[in-house]
Amino acid sequence: MGFTEEIGKRRTFGIISHPDAGKTTLTEKLLLFGGAIQEAGAVKSNKIKKGATSDFMEIERQRGISVATSVLAFNYRDKKINILDTPGHKDFAEDTFRTLTAVDSVIVVIDVAKGVEEQTEKLVEVCRMRNIPMLVFINKLDREGKDAFDLMDEVEQKLGLTVTPLSYPIGMGYDFQGIYNIWEKNINLFSGDSRKNIEETIAFDDLNNPQLDEIVGAAPAEKLREELELISEVYPPFDREQYLAGKQQPVFFGSALNNFGVRELLDCFIDIAPPPRPKDSDTRTVEPEEDKFSGFVFKIHANMDPKHRDRIAFVKIVSGVFERNKPYLHVRNKKKLKFSSPNAFFAEKKEIVDISYPGDIVGLHDTGNFKIGDTLTEGEDMSFKGIPNFSPEHFRYINNADPMKSKQLEKGIDQLMDEGVAQLFTLELNNRKVIGTVGALQYEVIQYRLEHEYGAKCSYENFPAYKACWIKPEDPKNEEFAEFKRIKQKFLAKDKQGQLVFLADSEFSIQMAQQKYPSVKLHFTSEF
Ligand code: G4P
């Protein structure tokens, strides 16, 4: 198979949802269809169970699982599918944001009873900002939930999407009878048997066919006809170009647990989802079909074995062919590196591969060279854009609790920050270190890992910040900037890249600063 065909075969995507909407269950059913696993229950959930926030064994166990489920690959029909894992727990939201820079499309799972929830809103917003094509799967139709039209309204309003249903439920909960597949024009009847892998479908070119009344009953058949007519009046027809541009989002209904509506989703996904997409770098747009290899690190995972401090850097291949043992340029370090045992992923296994294509993810063993966002090329000096840091929500001073181990502490902090566990800010005034995180859980993770992997001890102290704002003055030499720096001296810090940051203590002080110093622009992500 040629290079272009290999690229055309790949579908690399992520599933996003609020915890408990059914992401793990759906992933598992997709793997079952691909024959990558044989039984339900094989994919372990990597979610942090409720109430486990201070249970380290739980966190460590989750870390182990999340290495295994970072990339789940399988073949379906003639396509190679890579599902990138996105943690649902909000304390790990930043991991998910970064993973979204490596996907070519997304499936959004929504619970029919709960509707659009908080995490879904945040994650969809990130996808919308990047025009990532999205499919919506409304799950748990075997339970009583919201009316389908109301839900689609909610999706449009709360998530700012433009939807068009490609399947539609016949009844719901106790009365759930099946799915009318608008995309394929057939009906799939629900038997509620989760062991059944492939259901029988009945094709319907003409909804007025009286056979429909016989199959689902006269009243539900009539209701379905009416609702489908309403759909054709209210919603725009599916337009693939609009979907690929991130401007229209097809909706599917089903029940992942009962394996219902999943095949419809997968078959349509295979037909419409995009192959690997071009990516912007600081110098140009890189096309997957280019013959020279390029890729970027979107995730770093520390090994579970504290004796070997090696890590796996996950690289998304953007263009060209990645080959084992070929030297590539680590652009930030200006160093050539060779990888003798790159891992590819299949279902939950990983294996050494000689060659990988755009859209694929390779896991590279790393002894501390990589940082999230790093670019690898065949020699070209360019860096991929689009892995910004977001402002943390929690801030604490980190102190050394064992003076004999200050080197270890420094190294540990340095490497954990490169992994993207949290963000480090060094105060301008006194060089004290402040750790910013998305969730309180990370402080415990950091303390635990510093001790177990680096032999260092730390303690924390509250730092009264509300948000980190990255600063860009219009003119670094003007009076206004000098005054800003003098007045806000106590709140200024450098991030790990050396960018100047204002650690504001309230929304009010951000507003005041914006009013008083209009030429000092404040940004809420590190990339602007
Ligand atoms: P997540 O990864 O998005 O957090 O969700 P997960 O798949 O773990 O699903 C959350 C719960 O919802 C699970 O129940 C799961 O069995 C259930 N679920 C998923 N899809 C459906 C569906 O289509 N219908 C119904 N009725 N339930 C569904 P649990 O009791 O929390 O976990 P478990 O003990 O079953 O694993």
Side-chain angles (χ1 to χ4, degrees):
M1 190 180 292
F3 175 53
T4 329
E5 285 81 38
E6 287 287 356
I7 300 174
K9 264 177 69 171
R10 273 140 176 96
R11 299 287 180 272
T12 302
F13 74 106
I15 304 180
I16 56 177
S17 70
H18 193 84
D20 274 349
K23 182 166 71 80
T24 312
T25 313
L26 178 64
T27 306
E28 187 172 280
K29 299 296 154 143
L30 294 175
L31 288 172
L32 276 170
F33 274 112
I37 53 170
Q38 261 60 49
E39 55 185 306
V43 177
K44 292 172 205 76
S45 169
N46 70 351
K47 64 186 168 183
I48 309 272
K49 295 268 188 250
K50 292 173 201 82
T53 36
S54 54
D55 180 346
F56 286 114
M57 290 330 289
E58 181 66 13
I59 294 170
E60 287 299 287
R61 193 182 68 81
Q62 305 295 358
R63 283 214 299 132
I65 291 171
S66 72
V67 174
T69 59
S70 284
V71 187
L72 294 164
F74 64 97
N75 294 314
Y76 182 72
R77 290 181 14 202
D78 57 341
K79 299 289 186 294
K80 179 171 182 221
I81 299 177
N82 296 312
I83 307 182
L84 306 194
D85 186 42
T86 53
H89 192 287
K90 79 173 185 5
D91 285 9
F92 295 94
E94 217 171 331
D95 265 7
T96 299
F97 293 148
R98 286 189 293 251
T99 298
L100 291 178
T101 62
V103 302
D104 297 305
S105 72
V106 148
I107 295 179
V108 185
V109 182
I110 292 173
D111 182 322
V112 69
K114 295 192 181 138
V116 172
E117 296 174 88
E118 187 197 341
Q119 269 314 93
T120 322
E121 272 183 68
K122 283 196 191 156
L123 296 171
V124 166
E125 195 187 330
V126 173
C127 296
R128 232 185 33 221
M129 272 160 36
R130 302 203 180 122
N131 299 321
I132 298 176
M134 285 181 258
L135 284 174
V136 177
F137 182 71
I138 297 186
N139 190 26
K140 308 197 186 180
L141 261 289
D142 57 315
R143 287 195 186 159
E144 290 302 325
K146 301 187 181 184
D147 169 77
F149 279 97
D150 289 349
L151 254 176
M152 288 192 283
D153 271 357
E154 191 178 325
V155 168
E156 293 209 315
Q157 314 248 313
K158 281 201 183 163
L159 300 178
L161 303 182
T162 305
V163 304
T164 186
L166 286 186
S167 80
Y168 196 76
I170 309 171
M172 179 191 292
Y174 185 72
D175 295 324
F176 182 46
Q177 294 212 51
I179 301 277
Y180 182 73
N181 189 335
I182 302 175
W183 176 245
E184 290 176 8
K185 290 200 172 52
N186 58 30
I187 281 185
N188 189 347
L189 292 180
F190 178 53
S191 72
D193 183 350
S194 60
R195 285 160 303 182
K196 208 166 72 168
N197 278 345
I198 312 292
E199 325 79 6
E200 276 175 30
T201 51
I202 305 160
F204 270 96
D205 277 340
D206 180 8
L207 276 174
N208 291 319
N209 187 337
Q211 215 196 337
L212 182 65
D213 302 64
E214 284 162 36
I215 296 170
V216 300
E222 205 38 48
K223 186 163 179 269
L224 178 68
R225 287 187 190 108
E226 281 169 16
E227 292 187 330
L228 287 175
E229 200 178 317
L230 192 58
I231 284 174
S232 65
E233 284 163 16
V234 175
Y235 294 101
F238 172 69
D239 179 334
R240 182 158 185 244
E241 288 310 310
Q242 294 281 324
Y243 156 71
L244 291 178
K247 297 200 170 84
Q248 187 189 70
Q249 290 76 23
V251 176
F252 287 81
F253 292 84
S255 163
L257 187 65
N258 295 292
N259 207 3
F260 208 80
V262 177
R263 188 195 58 77
E264 286 80 352
L265 174 76
L266 182 57
D267 278 340
C268 178
F269 173 82
I270 290 283
D271 288 340
I272 68 172
R277 303 205 301 169
K279 192 160 177 75
D280 286 338
S281 77
D282 55 352
T283 56
R284 64 191 188 87
T285 302
V286 180
E287 301 288 336
E289 292 78 13
E290 292 181 17
D291 56 353
K292 293 240 170 2
F293 159 77
S294 68
F296 65 97
V297 178
F298 65 94
K299 174 178 182 136
I300 291 179
H301 216 298
N303 210 306
M304 297 298 289
D305 183 354
K307 287 186 217 82
H308 303 108
R309 209 176 292 141
D310 58 340
R311 316 186 290 179
I312 302 176
F314 291 84
V315 173
K316 159 96 185 269
I317 299 173
V318 178
S319 68
V321 178
F322 177 92
E323 288 174 64
R324 185 155 86 99
N325 281 325
K326 190 168 169 179
Y328 292 119
L329 178 69
H330 180 308
V331 176
R332 183 175 53 84
N333 283 355
K334 299 191 172 47
K335 249 191 350 199
K336 289 255 177 168
L337 298 173
K338 267 202 258 186
F339 304 94
S340 58
S341 51
N343 280 302
F345 303 86
F346 191 76
E348 289 188 277
K349 293 191 266 310
K350 54 184 170 63
E351 55 195 34
I352 292 176
V353 278
D354 290 324
I355 197 163
S356 300
Y357 296 93
D360 283 340
I361 310 297
V362 283
L364 304 178
H365 280 277
D366 171 37
T367 46
N369 285 314
F370 285 121
K371 222 152 77 166
I372 284 175
D374 279 347
T375 299
L376 285 174
T377 67
E378 282 194 27
E380 186 174 343
D381 183 10
M382 63 154 182
S383 297
F384 286 108
K385 293 206 284 199
I387 307 214
N389 286 320
F390 292 83
S391 173
E393 288 171 24
H394 303 259
F395 299 84
R396 290 184 197 169
Y397 283 118
I398 182 162
N399 301 322
N400 186 0
D402 180 353
M404 304 297 287
K405 298 280 169 64
S406 58
K407 276 243 149 51
Q408 284 86 334
L409 184 74
E410 213 158 284
K411 180 157 190 194
I413 294 178
D414 196 50
Q415 294 206 343
L416 292 183
M417 298 305 126
D418 284 352
E419 255 182 60
V421 177
Q423 293 178 53
L424 178 71
F425 302 100
T426 309
L427 292 181
E428 289 278 88
L429 194 64
N430 52 16
N431 279 329
R432 284 190 71 181
K433 290 185 163 67
V434 172
I435 302 266
T437 65
V438 178
L441 193 55
Q442 261 88 344
Y443 290 106
E444 300 178 36
V445 174
I446 292 168
Q447 200 168 35
Y448 180 88
R449 290 190 54 194
L450 282 174
E451 189 169 342
H452 288 82
E453 292 171 33
Y454 298 89
K457 284 202 168 72
C458 74
S459 64
Y460 299 112
E461 219 179 296
N462 207 30
F463 181 81
Y466 156 78
K467 223 178 213 154
C469 312
W470 281 266
I471 301 170
K472 183 147 178 120
E474 270 167 19
D475 172 9
K477 293 206 182 71
N478 79 3
E479 269 305 302
E480 199 172 292
F481 186 48
E483 182 178 323
F484 172 83
K485 284 205 293 193
R486 192 170 53 75
I487 302 286
K488 300 292 180 195
Q489 200 180 24
K490 261 173 40 194
F491 304 99
L492 294 183
K494 288 263 169 70
D495 73 2
K496 211 163 169 265
Q497 279 67 48
Q499 294 193 89
L500 194 60
V501 179
F502 170 42
L503 299 174
D505 58 0
S506 66
E507 188 60 45
F508 179 70
S509 71
I510 295 176
Q511 281 170 12
M512 287 306 289
Q514 280 169 329
Q515 272 175 24
K516 232 174 141 188
Y517 312 101
S519 75
V520 182
K521 294 274 177 281
L522 302 180
H523 300 269
F524 301 102
T525 67
S526 64
E527 203 174 74
F528 40 82

